[in-house]
Amino acid sequence: MNLISKEVMHVGEMASGAALTVPVYRIKGKQRGPDVYIQANMHGAEVQGNAVIFQLLEQLKTLELNGSITLVPYANPVACNHKNGEYTLGRFDPITGVNWNRMYHFDENIIEPFAQAYLTESAVEIERAFKALMLEQISQKLNHNIYGLTTGQRIAFQLQRLAHQADIVLDLHTGPISSKHLYCPEYAQVSAKYFDIPHVLFIPNGFDGALDEATFCPWWCLQLKFAELGRDFPITKTDANQGKDAVIKESFTVELGSQEQIDLDVAHDDALGILSYLQYQGVINSHDYHPKVMIRYSCMLENYKALYSPMGGMVDYLAEFGQPLSAGEPLARILRMDNYGDGDPLHYISLDHSVIPILHFASASVNQGTELYKVFSKYSVL
């Protein structure tokens, strides 16, 4: 039986002086191996990840581990408690209006001088020193910023400090009304097949403030800079880097379905899919976890398109998630009762090319210009 330790991390204070805290669970294996960081519920309504962390903890109690696993449910205590009536709003900081998952830090200016200084060092020394550099940058942000930080930045940087200590980072999210999908860095395409997720978005090496980018972009940029300088520095699992000193650096945003709901049985299946990936990476000593046989569709991030409503009205969402929709087939129809009797009350929305619908807006009531769907506009079988 593995020992699961718990601490409470102080991430801020409310106007009343009450502490904002986040629970942090840790499990340490007996053997050396990759360190893993998993967090959930950075956005307030995206609660299924907490159920997945519960199911992971239940499984991990009895599994033989290599390395360590850190799990953080309720990662954002402000967003978790940002209610308006029966709805949880917490996608944006209510004070600044910034998306909670766009406040992490990466300064690309650190890459070139570091690569020049460590060009001939061992992979182990490079990994140790670069990790220390990123942690020092976060420490400077947290402790030595004379102008202070926003509430969201203070929470994000403390979570990022935990994530930078890991080799593998999983940020658990959900969509509004959504199918399961995975945001995966382009260099980690092989790893995507070990999750039980049928839709994969491949992300380029561009930082836009999200946690997955903040933890894979630095290593990817370093790998590319080393390549420019004639040094091979692989950061994903290949036949060439299977030894003890292999450097594995992978980060994913795992979208677990729809917001504002949890399902513990589905969460159990989601946990098994994550364990399949962790087994592949050598984090758990087991042969019991295997990815499900399924058709997996992939799409480049640039081809992940939002469809906006051409008019206001009441939307009947028609398209089935996750399956190719032929050109001309309707995604939705919009009801305009104000046109009844002297106009057309029903308007069908379709596209002139095949797409795969991934998620849609949570409400049936939309203004003109509201995002109706997000779709894979160009896709292939992974």
Side-chain angles (χ1 to χ4, degrees):
M1 183 74 71
N2 291 318
L3 175 65
I4 300 175
S5 67
K6 177 184 178 182
E7 67 180 77
V8 176
M9 183 170 68
H10 186 287
V11 296
E13 295 176 352
M14 299 179 70
S16 65
L20 293 169
T21 62
V22 171
V24 180
Y25 298 90
R26 288 189 172 92
I27 311 171
K28 189 166 182 60
K30 295 181 173 62
Q31 304 293 327
R32 179 181 171 185
D35 294 319
V36 180
Y37 175 77
I38 302 174
Q39 74 174 34
N41 212 176
M42 190 62 184
H43 291 138
E46 300 182 13
V47 294
Q48 177 70 1
N50 299 314
V52 173
I53 286 180
F54 167 77
Q55 296 288 20
L56 282 170
L57 286 168
E58 289 291 286
Q59 294 286 320
L60 291 168
K61 283 193 280 191
T62 57
L63 292 174
E64 184 179 343
L65 302 183
N66 302 316
S68 67
I69 303 180
T70 299
L71 304 102
V72 180
Y74 308 130
N76 185 346
V78 178
C80 290
N81 293 293
H82 188 191
K83 304 290 289 188
N84 188 352
E86 63 187 285
Y87 300 104
T88 309
L89 299 184
R91 182 172 183 79
F92 302 96
D93 183 333
I95 298 172
T96 65
V98 178
N99 186 325
W100 291 112
N101 193 33
R102 296 296 183 272
M103 302 189 202
Y104 298 97
H105 173 73
F106 170 47
D107 178 7
E108 194 171 343
N109 291 321
I110 68 174
I111 300 298
E112 183 161 5
F114 181 91
Q116 294 282 359
Y118 285 85
L119 183 59
T120 60
E121 298 290 343
S122 69
V124 171
E125 177 57 21
I126 291 169
E127 181 182 22
R128 182 205 63 77
F130 193 59
K131 186 182 291 187
L133 174 59
M134 289 192 293
L135 288 169
E136 175 58 26
Q137 283 211 316
I138 295 299
S139 178
Q140 290 290 328
K141 285 284 186 182
L142 281 167
N143 302 315
H144 303 287
N145 188 328
I146 63 171
Y147 292 106
L149 299 168
T150 68
T151 300
Q153 288 172 328
R154 185 170 297 279
I155 293 170
F157 293 161
Q158 290 182 86
L159 296 170
Q160 188 174 349
R161 183 165 57 187
L162 295 177
H164 274 327
Q165 297 172 53
D167 306 299
I168 293 167
V169 174
L170 304 180
D171 193 12
L172 309 184
H173 285 257
T174 63
I177 307 297
S178 177
S179 63
K180 294 179 186 180
H181 52 291
L182 183 74
Y183 286 85
C184 172
E186 287 182 44
Y187 68 80
Q189 293 189 21
V190 172
S191 293
K193 298 179 181 180
Y194 288 86
F195 293 89
D196 290 337
I197 295 180
H199 307 105
V200 181
L201 278 159
F202 290 128
I203 316 174
N205 191 13
F207 178 65
D208 193 36
L211 180 64
D212 57 354
E213 299 161 347
T215 47
F216 74 66
C217 282
W219 294 99
W220 197 352
C221 288
L222 183 62
Q223 179 192 48
L224 294 174
K225 181 55 64 176
F226 273 140
E228 284 181 21
L229 299 171
R231 167 73 188 264
D232 185 35
F233 185 70
I235 57 170
T236 193
K237 193 169 183 176
T238 68
D239 291 339
N241 68 334
Q242 297 298 306
K244 287 186 177 180
D245 296 336
V247 175
I248 304 297
K249 302 295 175 184
E250 294 188 351
S251 303
F252 305 88
T253 294
V254 185
E255 299 279 354
L256 297 164
S258 302
Q259 64 188 24
E260 290 279 38
Q261 60 187 19
I262 69 167
D263 185 318
L264 283 166
D265 293 331
V266 173
H268 180 265
D269 291 340
D270 292 333
L272 297 182
I274 290 172
L275 291 172
S276 166
Y277 167 72
L278 295 182
Q279 176 182 278
Y280 163 69
Q281 290 292 9
V283 179
I284 58 175
N285 286 332
S286 173
H287 299 287
D288 296 333
Y289 302 97
H290 306 283
K292 293 179 180 176
V293 176
M294 63 175 68
I295 298 175
R296 291 175 171 82
Y297 294 99
S298 65
C299 176
M300 303 303 295
L301 186 61
E302 65 184 10
N303 296 318
Y304 187 43
K305 301 295 187 181
L307 172 67
Y308 299 97
S309 182
M311 64 185 69
M314 305 293 124
V315 182
D316 182 8
Y317 298 99
L318 300 175
E320 181 182 357
F321 283 145
Q323 297 300 318
L325 185 74
S326 299
E329 289 295 313
L331 284 96
R333 56 189 171 194
I334 298 179
L335 174 64
R336 286 289 299 264
M337 283 303 300
D338 57 311
N339 290 339
Y340 192 84
D342 57 4
D344 188 354
L346 285 178
H347 299 263
Y348 285 81
I349 309 300
S350 61
L351 293 167
D352 64 359
H353 58 283
S354 176
V355 298
I356 298 179
I358 299 298
L359 59 82
H360 68 64
F361 191 59
S363 175
S365 175
V366 300
N367 297 327
Q368 187 178 39
T370 296
E371 181 182 289
L372 291 181
Y373 275 94
K374 279 192 172 180
V375 300
F376 285 9
S377 65
K378 295 180 181 178
Y379 55 88
S380 59
V381 175
L382 180 61

